[in-house]
């Protein structure tokens, strides 16, 4: 069975419930505060493992009390053999969630961006051709990781979040999958993010033509485009959102697992959409991610609306 190596971030999320996302110069009382395990890397590792992947999380923690992070990974079945501890604070976020479930996030990287090249190289000695490397833009050393993975024949899935222009200087042609939302996609394609989604994904493909592109569109659904194939689309399940934090990571973990497991792309997208929909009905990020069994038993799986773009 192929293994998944996720070189990703681990953050302690401080989540504040607000009437609305705060404006510049405004002071507003939060109605509640929650402390949750998070980070795009951690969230995606949990989603990958709960979806059924043999998942290893690599990265770095600080010297804080990190049991809130390691416990949730272990509970999900994620292996921590290549997780390091560095003499820095652990990464953390401050997240506002408004009454409609939308969020705004401040990120402090901390130990997430302290990975040493020797640590990266040593980790790849334990993986082989056909395994999958999953990356996000919340750790350092991305180019080194891509080159190492490619040299041994691993597949690479890169979620370009948070987006910066420097990401376009990375060897994206080595990736099997690049995953973006409409904001990130618009930045890559140099187009308005509100453009027609099919035109937007065509614009992205012109910049990165050799890999599959996954474009997520929130409540509008998602698109998966392979080179030289007609884009595949999937609608978004209709649910009452409580907290959208981590829903994109849930989609990513389930989609990649289904594709690695040999499922047809259309089926993989449906499973991922249902998993993401379940996650937004719960508070928190990693804590909101469902198991594969929950998703497969959910009525949402067979009630996904048509894609409307």
């Amino acid at each position: 069975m192929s293994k998944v190596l996720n070189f990703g971030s681990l953050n302690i999320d401080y989540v504040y419930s607000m009437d609305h996302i705060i404006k510049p110069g405004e002071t507003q009382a939060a109605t509640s505060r929650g402390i949750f395990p998070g980070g795009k890397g951690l969230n995606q590792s949990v989603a990958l493992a709960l979806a059924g992947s043999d998942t290893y999380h690599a990265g770095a923690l600080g010297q804080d009390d990190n049991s809130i992070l390691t416990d949730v990974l272990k509970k999900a079945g994620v292996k921590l053999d290549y997780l390091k501890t560095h003499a820095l604070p652990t990464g953390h976020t401050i997240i506002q969630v408004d009454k409609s479930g939308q969020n705004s996030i401040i990120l402090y990287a901390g130990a997430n961006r302290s990975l040493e090249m020797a640590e990266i190289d040593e980790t790849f000695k334990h993986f082989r051709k056909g395994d999958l490397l999953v990356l996000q833009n919340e750790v350092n050393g991305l180019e080194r990781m891509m080159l190492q993975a490619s040299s041994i024949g691993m597949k690479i899935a890169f979620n370009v979040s948070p987006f910066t222009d420097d990401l376009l200087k990375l060897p994206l042609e080595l990736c099997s999958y690049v995953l973006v939302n409409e904001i990130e996609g618009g930045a890559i394609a140099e187009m308005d993010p509100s453009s027609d989604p099919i035109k937007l994904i065509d614009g992205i493909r012109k910049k990165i033509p050799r890999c599959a592109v996954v474009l997520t569109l929130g409540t509008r659904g998602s698109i998966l485009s392979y080179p030289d194939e007609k884009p595949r689309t999937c609608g978004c399940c209709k649910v009452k959102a409580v907290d959208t934090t981590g829903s994109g990571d849930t989609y990513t973990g389930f989609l990649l697992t289904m594709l690695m497991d040999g499922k047809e792309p259309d089926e993989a997208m449906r499973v991922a959409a249902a998993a993401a929909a379940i996650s937004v009905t719960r508070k928190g990020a990693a804590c909101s991610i469902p198991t594969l069994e929950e998703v497969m038993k959910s009525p949402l799986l067979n009630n996904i609306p048509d894609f409307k773009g």
Side-chain angles (χ1 to χ4, degrees):
M1 179 181 180
S2 296
K3 298 188 292 187
V4 177
L5 170 62
N6 184 4
F7 251 113
S9 57
L10 307 102
N11 294 323
I12 299 175
D13 291 342
Y14 298 92
V15 182
Y16 296 84
S17 297
M18 314 290 288
D19 177 75
H20 56 271
I21 302 300
I22 202 162
K23 301 179 179 67
E26 178 185 12
T27 299
Q28 180 189 162
T31 57
S32 67
R33 185 188 80 159
I35 302 176
F36 302 97
K40 293 194 74 65
L42 180 146
N43 296 339
Q44 291 182 14
S45 280
V46 170
L48 286 157
L50 291 179
S53 286
D54 183 17
T55 306
Y56 291 77
H57 190 101
L61 293 167
Q63 294 183 322
D64 310 314
D65 179 4
N66 295 303
S67 59
I68 189 175
L69 302 175
T70 55
D71 287 352
V72 72
L73 288 165
K74 291 175 183 176
K75 183 178 179 181
V78 179
K79 299 177 178 68
L80 307 181
D81 305 53
Y82 314 113
L83 185 59
K84 307 298 182 182
T85 301
H86 290 176
L88 288 168
T90 294
H92 66 263
T93 62
I94 297 173
I95 302 175
Q96 301 177 64
V97 180
D98 71 15
K99 58 187 177 183
S100 70
Q102 294 302 309
N103 62 59
S104 175
I105 303 173
I106 298 172
L107 170 66
Y108 171 70
N112 289 314
R113 291 194 177 272
S114 67
L115 293 168
E116 300 173 4
M117 297 304 105
E119 294 173 334
I120 292 171
D121 295 347
E122 169 60 28
T123 298
F124 278 100
K125 293 179 181 178
H126 304 278
F127 294 85
R128 62 185 182 183
K129 182 177 181 179
D131 290 340
L132 175 67
L133 171 66
V134 178
L135 298 173
Q136 318 81 30
N137 188 29
E138 291 186 348
V139 298
N140 65 303
L142 294 175
E143 182 173 9
R144 182 70 158 248
M145 295 171 191
M146 289 182 180
L147 293 172
Q148 285 280 27
S150 177
S151 71
I152 59 177
M154 293 180 72
K155 297 179 180 179
I156 303 171
F158 183 31
N159 179 197
V160 299
S161 179
F163 180 80
T164 63
D165 290 337
D166 286 344
L167 294 185
L168 297 179
K169 299 175 184 177
L170 293 171
L172 299 180
E173 68 277 3
L174 302 180
C175 297
S176 299
Y177 297 94
V178 171
L179 302 100
V180 301
N181 62 25
E182 64 265 48
I183 304 299
E184 297 148 2
I188 292 172
E190 299 182 279
M191 296 172 62
D192 187 328
S194 62
S195 301
D196 176 271
I198 299 299
K199 292 181 180 178
L200 182 56
I201 205 161
D202 286 344
I204 299 168
R205 295 215 57 83
K206 289 177 182 178
K207 294 293 185 69
I208 43 176
R210 295 176 56 184
C211 63
V213 175
V214 179
L215 174 63
T216 57
L217 300 158
T219 57
R220 293 188 290 164
S222 57
I223 304 174
L224 170 56
S225 174
Y226 288 99
D228 303 318
E229 290 186 17
K230 182 179 178 181
R232 301 164 187 263
T233 61
C234 182
C236 178
C237 303
K238 295 180 179 179
V239 296
K240 183 177 181 179
V242 172
D243 184 353
T244 59
T245 310
S247 60
D249 300 327
T250 302
Y251 183 95
T252 295
F254 274 78
L255 178 72
L256 293 175
T257 297
M258 295 300 104
L259 292 172
M260 287 288 288
D261 197 38
K263 299 293 189 295
E264 288 296 318
D266 291 335
E267 181 183 357
M269 295 174 75
R270 287 177 55 252
V271 172
I278 293 171
S279 77
V280 304
T281 65
R282 304 167 178 175
K283 288 188 176 182
C287 301
S288 72
I289 300 171
T291 64
L292 179 60
E293 182 179 8
E294 287 180 89
V295 176
M296 301 311 291
K297 290 182 177 179
S298 172
L300 292 173
L301 189 60
N302 296 313
N303 290 281
I304 298 176
D306 292 337
F307 177 81
K308 298 187 182 302

